[in-house]
Amino acid sequence: MTGSSHSLQPLVSVHQHNIALLFSNYLISQNIESAVQIEDEQFVILCSPERYEQAREIFNEFIENPHDVKYQQAAWQSSETTNIVQNGPSFFSTIKQQFLAHAGVVTLSIFALCWLIYLGSILGWQMTIFNEIHFFNKLSVAHFFENPFRLIGPVFFHFSLLHIAFNTMWWWQLGGSIEKVMGKAELIQLFLLSAIVSNLGQFIVSGPNFGGLSGVVYAVVGYVWWAGWLAPEKGLVLSKAIIGLLLFWLLLGFVDVLPVKMANTAHLLGLISGCFLAWLRFANPAKHIEK
């Protein structure tokens, strides 16, 4: 950069190191002096006081779509490095901060509950926990009022480390994005709708012995997929390659060539639930543009 950070003015602070560097480099590419410093475990972007208002306008545009190609190009083309004050947070602290920053309280609560139940199951209480939260043995109004949690309970129970790692990774990534963009209420509604529909469908097909967040994961996939198609300005995007891979995995489950038994009905109904809710939200352009 071309100047001392002491002569620069704080513009904005962000939680993510890479976002701060990306934007600072872009300002430099626009001939605006910039630097990044760490303060209270946040990354403060500094800019030239004379160009503050212009930098603020550029940031407002940047934050709408930080993955735009022009910002990446500026980072690659910049021959200078953005200085960062040393003695910042540790690597672990930065990772934790980024993990928590991406997801809201709903996403993190469900993530944590899944892992707590899984830890309990591997510590010797697997059958005890499963018997407490599995789906109803028989559907009836009496059984529902006796233990309504069983309607969604199976989504929290996982049978292996790979099973829970795969499901909670996607839940954190996509559920976190939905919560940040659309709010807690929307994610809760999506979670409850997909959990109930996928559990009920799987019970009808195979009985009560199933579990896992996969139906809900396919719901958030479907929601983000259709939101990206119907309302791209929301910034909820999933690449075609990822969508294709997950749909192919769904198909493999139905043709029964996988070495593990899949809750295929739950996956399919979850996907349909997510697509349906996204369609309700975004099919009317005038409705979601106003929000």
Side-chain angles (χ1 to χ4, degrees), residues 189-219:
Q189 186 171 355
L190 177 59
F191 171 79
L192 291 176
L193 172 67
S194 59
I196 293 170
V197 169
S198 61
N199 284 345
L200 182 59
Q202 192 63 44
F203 168 77
I204 292 171
V205 170
S206 64
N209 295 322
F210 62 89
L213 196 64
S214 305
V216 175
V217 166
Y218 269 96

Side-chain angles (χ1 to χ4, degrees), residues 1-10 33-36 46-49:
M1 60 171 265
T2 58
S4 168
S5 62
H6 296 296
S7 63
L8 301 180
Q9 175 180 351
E33 293 183 30
S34 180
V36 174
L46 308 172
C47 72
S48 170

Side-chain angles (χ1 to χ4, degrees), residues 261-272:
K261 189 170 180 61
M262 306 285 285
N264 301 310
T265 303
H267 297 173
L268 178 60
L269 292 177
L271 180 67
I272 293 171

Side-chain angles (χ1 to χ4, degrees), residues 25-259:
N25 277 322
Y26 183 70
L27 287 182
I28 292 170
S29 75
Q30 302 300 301
N31 297 317
I32 300 175
E33 293 183 30
S34 180
V36 174
Q37 70 180 21
I38 297 171
E39 184 176 307
D40 296 329
E41 296 194 350
Q42 290 195 344
F43 299 94
V44 181
I45 302 168
L46 308 172
C47 72
S48 170
E50 296 79 12
R51 307 285 293 279
Y52 179 87
E53 292 302 327
Q54 181 185 359
R56 171 63 71 175
E57 291 179 8
I58 294 174
F59 180 79
N60 290 337
E61 179 184 350
F62 165 81
I63 206 63
E64 291 292 325
N65 184 16
H67 302 295
D68 192 292
V69 175
K70 65 182 181 182
Y71 304 121
Q72 306 295 333
Q73 288 176 340
W76 281 104
Q77 291 170 1
S78 176
S79 59
E80 303 179 68
T81 58
T82 302
N83 297 323
I84 292 199
V85 176
Q86 298 301 315
N87 302 320
S90 66
F91 175 77
F92 176 77
S93 177
T94 300
I95 293 296
K96 181 180 74 172
Q97 189 178 70
Q98 292 182 357
F99 175 81
L100 296 175
H102 175 76
V105 64
V106 176
T107 306
L108 294 174
S109 295
I110 292 171
F111 183 99
L113 186 54
C114 287
W115 277 99
L116 285 172
I117 288 174
Y118 178 72
L119 289 174
S121 70
I122 65 175
L123 289 174
W125 301 304
Q126 184 178 50
M127 290 311 302
T128 301
I129 294 172
F130 184 75
N131 288 334
E132 287 296 320
I133 67 174
H134 74 70
F135 202 77
F136 305 106
N137 288 311
K138 182 180 179 181
L139 282 177
S140 70
V141 175
H143 285 138
F144 171 75
F145 282 108
E146 181 181 334
N147 193 350
F149 183 75
R150 288 190 188 276
L151 203 57
I152 63 170
V155 305
F156 298 105
F157 190 91
H158 293 82
F159 298 97
S160 71
L161 180 60
L162 182 62
H163 190 204
I164 189 172
F166 179 87
N167 281 344
T168 53
M169 177 195 73
W170 282 110
W171 167 255
W172 170 80
Q173 178 65 39
L174 299 180
S177 296
I178 293 169
E179 184 172 0
K180 288 293 183 182
V181 173
M182 300 301 298
K184 295 176 178 60
E186 182 76 351
L187 185 60
I188 291 171
Q189 186 171 355
L190 177 59
F191 171 79
L192 291 176
L193 172 67
S194 59
I196 293 170
V197 169
S198 61
N199 284 345
L200 182 59
Q202 192 63 44
F203 168 77
I204 292 171
V205 170
S206 64
N209 295 322
F210 62 89
L213 196 64
S214 305
V216 175
V217 166
Y218 269 96
V220 294
V221 168
Y223 187 98
V224 172
W225 175 21
W226 278 44
W229 174 39
L230 295 171
E233 74 279 357
K234 294 293 183 183
L236 293 170
V237 180
L238 200 56
S239 73
K240 292 180 180 179
I242 295 296
I243 294 169
L245 176 64
L246 292 172
L247 292 179
F248 180 65
W249 187 257
L250 179 65
L251 179 62
L252 286 180
F254 274 103
V255 298
D256 201 22
V257 297
L258 295 172

